[in-house]
Amino acid sequence: KYSDDYKSKDDLMKSPKYIHDCDYLLNAKYLVHTLTNSAQFKDRLSCKIIHRPKTLIFALQICGEVLYNAMDLDKQDFDFIDIPPLNTNLEILAHERRQIQLY
């Protein structure tokens, strides 16, 4: 049985408290690498990486026509933030720099 605040497991899993208490958060570096190397976004994404102390910020922007629900997403931007555990190397490997600009 779920708390009276939630009618179903699905409602519980969508709640801010459940998301906040998750043990795992999606790795932004992995997601950005996957998107920039996908066939759908090939040559249609620019990525800037902004280094901050203990943080990486990935700023992706769609460059060119990408249709979604009959809307062109050209110039749409997305920001992803990685805050790795302490003592984690934040280096971006040379082979990952193909479509990435460092700032």
Side-chain angles (χ1 to χ4, degrees), residues 35-61:
L35 289 172
T36 57
N37 289 287
S38 71
Q40 182 177 6
F41 293 110
K42 184 173 176 65
D43 301 323
R44 291 191 178 132
L45 276 181
S46 71
C47 180
K48 297 177 185 175
I49 299 177
I50 303 163
H51 288 263
R52 294 292 180 258
K54 301 180 184 176
T55 304
L56 284 175
I57 302 167
F58 299 88
L60 287 171
Q61 183 176 41

Side-chain angles (χ1 to χ4, degrees), residues 10-22:
D10 191 48
D11 287 343
L12 172 68
M13 292 178 72
K14 291 178 183 175
S15 72
K17 177 166 177 22
Y18 179 85
I19 293 168
H20 179 268
D21 292 344
C22 281

